[in-house]
Amino acid sequence: MRAARLIKMVLLLQSRPSMTAAELAQALEVSERTITRDALALSEAGVPVYADRGRAGGYRLIGGYRTRLTGLARSEAEALFLSGVPGALREMGLQDAASAAQLKVSAALLPSLKDASHSAARRFHLDAPGWYQEPATPDLLPVVAEAVWDDRVVTARYRDAERRLEPYGLVLKAGVWYLCARADGSSFRVYRIDRFTAVALTEDRFERDESFDLAGFWEERAAQFARSILRAEVVVRLSPDGARRLAHVTDRAAAEEALAAAGPPDGQGWVTVTLPVESDVVAFTQLLSLGAELEVLEPAGLRERFTEAATGLHALYSRRQR
């Protein structure tokens, strides 16, 4: 355990000019006293760790002590940082391992390539949830991707209209490629790449808006789209357990807003909510899983479907018990 921490400490110091004891302690999840002991141990082992005293002091490596990974072009270094899917790694418990691997590579890269990970994250965001098919590759994707990497302005024909675009980033969602771009200095918009009929690179390059966050922008637009398809409403009563589970069976944001707007619980602890849904058919499929923890009040047609389902289930299970 300590050996791994000492190696990580060296890599951290390789990747930065200097770090304070507090910064190292936070990164390594130990106390500052432990950092002091580790620095002494590294020094005794021949690693030239130097401690600068004073309020602005810290630890640094001296004498050019580093191992450099040479031979990597910028595009190769940037592609290296796209090899993992952060959300999936986090869910599998591999986030720390991936972080350590990237740290090792970052520490070994030449100074001119130090921003490779940041550069890649600004230009590509992978939205993985809901993938159940192999993604199709639009014919024009390679030229669009080239424009994204090189910050090149493109002229594109989209839905029979000619547009001049500043392509900021690509998103692959559920097998469909999207381009996040700005047209003629206007606000950012999303374009489906398979709906482009022509794309041509220009010689012009644009200067990126440093405040643009691709992942944040996509998350906001995705939420707006999810809400736009909720065109119907149902009125339901929910038990306390049903209220807790509602967000797990339907649109989370819609469920949370509906519960927040609900009146006080009745004498049995049940609440009545008006819930936006995509359609009665979709609502039936989603809400049926709540069973007896939910009662549909409106619309009448959906209530009838629940009544029929409950009657059928009762008949089925009553027959099996006899």
Side-chain angles (χ1 to χ4, degrees), residues 30-54:
V30 295
S31 67
E32 293 186 33
R33 187 182 295 253
T34 298
I35 293 299
T36 301
R37 289 197 297 264
D38 286 352
L40 179 60
L42 287 172
S43 180
E44 292 176 347
V47 178
V49 178
Y50 181 79
D52 292 313
R53 304 299 178 183

Side-chain angles (χ1 to χ4, degrees), residues 49-267:
V49 178
Y50 181 79
D52 292 313
R53 304 299 178 183
R55 178 178 297 180
Y59 292 93
R60 59 187 174 89
L61 294 174
I62 60 176
Y65 186 89
R66 66 175 55 250
T67 299
R68 291 181 174 176
L69 181 63
T70 59
L72 280 181
R74 170 168 292 276
S75 60
E76 295 170 332
E78 290 173 337
L80 177 63
F81 286 93
L82 300 179
S83 60
V85 184
L89 290 171
R90 182 170 57 252
E91 293 172 1
M92 291 186 292
L94 299 176
Q95 185 177 21
D96 289 343
S99 175
Q102 288 194 358
L103 177 62
K104 291 177 182 179
V105 175
S106 295
L109 287 175
L110 291 169
S112 61
L113 302 178
K114 289 294 185 183
D115 65 337
S117 62
H118 176 65
S119 176
R122 288 172 53 202
R123 288 169 169 79
F124 188 89
H125 172 62
L126 183 60
D127 188 355
W131 278 18
Y132 298 104
Q133 60 186 29
E134 288 295 322
T137 304
D139 293 338
L140 295 173
L141 178 61
V143 66
V144 175
E146 181 180 351
V148 169
W149 285 113
D150 292 343
D151 297 339
R152 294 270 291 277
V153 176
V154 299
T155 57
R157 179 163 290 278
Y158 188 79
R159 291 179 173 173
D160 297 326
E162 189 80 16
R163 304 168 192 267
R164 182 178 171 87
L165 302 176
E166 297 176 356
Y168 268 69
L170 296 169
V171 176
L172 177 58
K173 169 66 174 178
V176 179
W177 285 93
Y178 296 89
L179 172 67
C180 300
R182 187 160 60 180
D184 299 320
S186 62
S187 60
F188 291 96
R189 295 185 58 186
V190 175
Y191 303 87
R192 274 188 62 150
I193 293 181
D194 58 7
R195 292 179 181 168
F196 285 117
T197 56
V199 176
L201 292 171
T202 72
E203 296 300 321
D204 300 329
R205 282 182 164 80
F206 63 93
E207 186 171 344
R208 284 181 165 264
D209 181 351
E210 295 298 328
S211 66
F212 178 73
D213 174 16
L214 178 60
F217 170 77
W218 177 259
E219 183 178 359
E220 180 182 351
R221 289 303 176 92
Q224 291 176 358
F225 173 76
R227 293 307 305 272
S228 71
I229 64 175
L230 303 179
R231 302 186 179 93
E233 287 185 344
V234 298
V235 181
V236 298
R237 289 181 67 240
L238 293 160
S239 71
D241 185 53
R244 284 191 295 269
R245 293 165 52 193
L246 183 63
H248 298 287
V249 301
T250 186
D251 182 83
R252 176 175 294 275
E256 291 175 350
E257 291 178 12
L259 289 168
D266 60 20

